[in-house]
Amino acid sequence: MTISSRAPEAAALTALAEDVHAFVQPDGGWCLNNAGLVTGGGRGVLIDTAATRTRAERLRRAVERVLPGGPDLVVNTHFHGDHHFGNCLFVPAATVVAQQDVREQILRAGLDLQRIWPGVGWGGIELVAPTLTFRESLTLHLGELTVELRDVGPAHTSHDVVAWVPERGVLFTGDVAWSGVTPFCLMGSLDGSLAALETLRAYGATTVVPGHGPAGGPEILDATEAYLRWLQETARQGHKAGRTPLETARDAELGEFAGLLDSERLVANLHRAYAELDGAPAGAELDIVGPFGEMAAYHGGLPDCHA
C-alpha cells in the first residue's frame, strides 16, 4: 500500500452505462469513497460526494464535463463525512437529499471525522446537511431513467441508502458493500448487513458500485457476504471462549481476507458482533472511541488515511 496509489489524480469518472457514471477513488481505503452520477432529461443526480475539498473539487469538475452546471440533486447514502463533506461544493445549485435520520446524524456528528486524522488536508470544508429528506424510499425521475432510493439499514450504519437505476441495471450500494476493502459495521449491524445484502441481491443488478473499491458485478455482494459470514463465526468462537474483541482479532487467521485493505476494522467489527451476541439491537449506539483505539493497537498506529 502506497500513498501514491491514493493520489487524487487517480480518481476518475467512468461511464458504466448510458447516462450512468461512477467516480471511483483508488484504492478505496479510509475516506477514499466512490460517488455516482445519473443524468437524463437535462437533469442530474449525484450520489455521494467526497471527503476533502480537493477531492470534491475534482469530482465537481468531472461531473461538469458530463453535465454542465452540475447536478440538480445530491444524495447522501449515510452520515459518514467522506460521503457528504463535499456537499458544500455543490450547493446552492443542487438540493441535498438523504434519509431523514441521516440528516440528524450529519448535524450531530458535524466535522468530528476530521479530528481522527488531523494530518489530512481537509481544505476548509463547510458542513452542509440535507434539506430534502424521506423516510423509507424515494423515486427520482430523470427523463427515461429513474433512480430509486431505499433505506436498507441498519447495516454499515443505522441508516444506509442505496440507489438503483433499473433501466440500466446499475446499483450504487453506499457502504453496504465493499470491493477489495474490509467491510465496517461498528456503527450499524452485522446481522443487519447480511439482511441488507439479501435485499440488494433481489434487485438483480448487473453492475454494482460499492462505497469503496472498484466497481464490478454481483460478485461484490458475494465477497462482502463471505467476509461477514467469516466475521460472524469468528465472533461466535471468540465470544464463547471469553476472549476480548482485540484478543480474538489477534488470534484470527485472515486467510482469504488477508489481502483486503484496512484489516484493522476486524477489531471494531468484532465489537459490534459481540454486542449483538449479547442481545444489543441492530443499529444500537456503541462506544466508538474504545474500538478505534483498539484498531490502532492492532494496526500498530493510527489507521492509514490518505484522503
Side-chain angles (χ1 to χ4, degrees), residues 11 66 82 91 95 133-134 142 149 152 161 167 185 207 209 219 224-225 229 243 255 264 271 277 281 291:
V66 174
D82 51 331
V91 296
T95 298
T133 62
F134 61 95
L142 303 172
L149 307 179
V152 299
V161 170
E167 297 84 0
C185 59
T207 302
V209 183
E219 72 279 356
T224 301
E225 180 181 2
R229 294 290 183 193
R243 295 192 297 270
E264 66 275 0
H271 274 274
L277 287 169

Side-chain angles (χ1 to χ4, degrees), residues 6 24 27-28 41 77 104 106 120 200 210 215 219 225-226 229 239 246 260 265 283-284 293 295 297 300 307:
R6 295 183 173 187
V24 176
D27 53 9
T77 59
E104 299 307 315
I106 286 173
V120 167
L200 268 54
E219 72 279 356
E225 180 181 2
R229 294 290 183 193
H239 187 271
L246 180 57
L260 297 181
R265 291 177 181 168
M295 281 197 294

Side-chain angles (χ1 to χ4, degrees), residues 229-241:
R229 294 290 183 193
W230 171 82
L231 168 66
Q232 193 174 54
E233 182 57 29
T234 300
R236 285 173 180 159
Q237 293 178 10
H239 187 271
K240 183 178 180 179

Side-chain angles (χ1 to χ4, degrees), residues 230 245-254 262-267 270 291-301:
W230 171 82
L246 180 57
E247 289 169 342
T248 297
R250 284 174 166 163
D251 289 344
E253 293 290 340
L254 295 177
D262 305 327
S263 60
E264 66 275 0
R265 291 177 181 168
L266 172 59
V267 183
L270 285 166
F292 263 87
E294 291 183 11
M295 281 197 294
Y298 178 93
H299 182 66

Side-chain angles (χ1 to χ4, degrees), residues 17-240:
E18 185 179 358
D19 298 322
V20 183
H21 295 73
F23 185 76
V24 176
Q25 298 193 93
D27 53 9
W30 289 103
C31 295
L32 293 171
N33 65 297
N34 299 330
L37 176 67
V38 184
T39 61
R43 299 172 64 81
V45 174
L46 180 64
I47 302 154
D48 283 330
T49 57
T52 69
R53 192 172 194 90
T54 296
R55 289 180 177 275
E57 287 172 345
R58 182 170 294 277
L59 171 61
R60 184 179 64 182
R61 289 194 297 270
V63 167
E64 289 179 346
R65 284 193 288 269
V66 174
L67 185 68
D72 300 274
L73 296 171
V74 173
V75 176
N76 295 149
T77 59
H78 61 286
F79 81 92
H80 289 162
D82 51 331
H83 294 257
H84 71 77
F85 279 175
N87 289 357
C88 59
L89 271 294
F90 295 92
V91 296
T95 298
V96 182
V97 184
Q99 197 275 345
Q100 63 181 19
D101 294 297
V102 171
R103 168 184 160 80
E104 299 307 315
Q105 290 171 332
I106 286 173
L107 289 169
R108 188 166 68 247
L111 301 177
D112 283 353
L113 181 65
Q114 297 183 11
R115 298 186 180 94
I116 298 175
W117 288 285
V120 167
W122 299 102
I125 289 295
E126 297 177 14
L127 187 70
V128 173
T131 55
L132 175 62
T133 62
F134 61 95
R135 183 179 296 277
E136 296 179 356
S137 63
L138 179 69
T139 299
L140 309 174
H141 297 270
L142 303 172
E144 67 171 18
L145 298 186
T146 52
V147 181
E148 299 177 8
L149 307 179
R150 181 177 179 182
D151 179 9
V152 299
H156 171 61
T157 64
S158 59
H159 293 278
D160 294 281
V161 170
V162 300
W164 167 234
V165 188
E167 297 84 0
R168 300 292 185 263
V170 180
L171 178 64
F172 296 90
T173 73
D175 286 359
V176 177
W178 307 72
S179 178
V181 183
T182 304
F184 189 58
C185 59
L186 173 64
M187 301 177 195
S189 171
L190 172 54
D191 292 340
S193 292
L194 290 166
L197 287 170
E198 288 306 305
T199 298
L200 268 54
R201 277 201 184 85
Y203 285 114
T206 55
T207 302
V208 174
V209 183
H212 295 254
E219 72 279 356
I220 290 175
L221 307 182
D222 296 338
T224 301
E225 180 181 2
Y227 174 87
L228 294 173
R229 294 290 183 193
W230 171 82
L231 168 66
Q232 193 174 54
E233 182 57 29
T234 300
R236 285 173 180 159
Q237 293 178 10
H239 187 271
K240 183 178 180 179

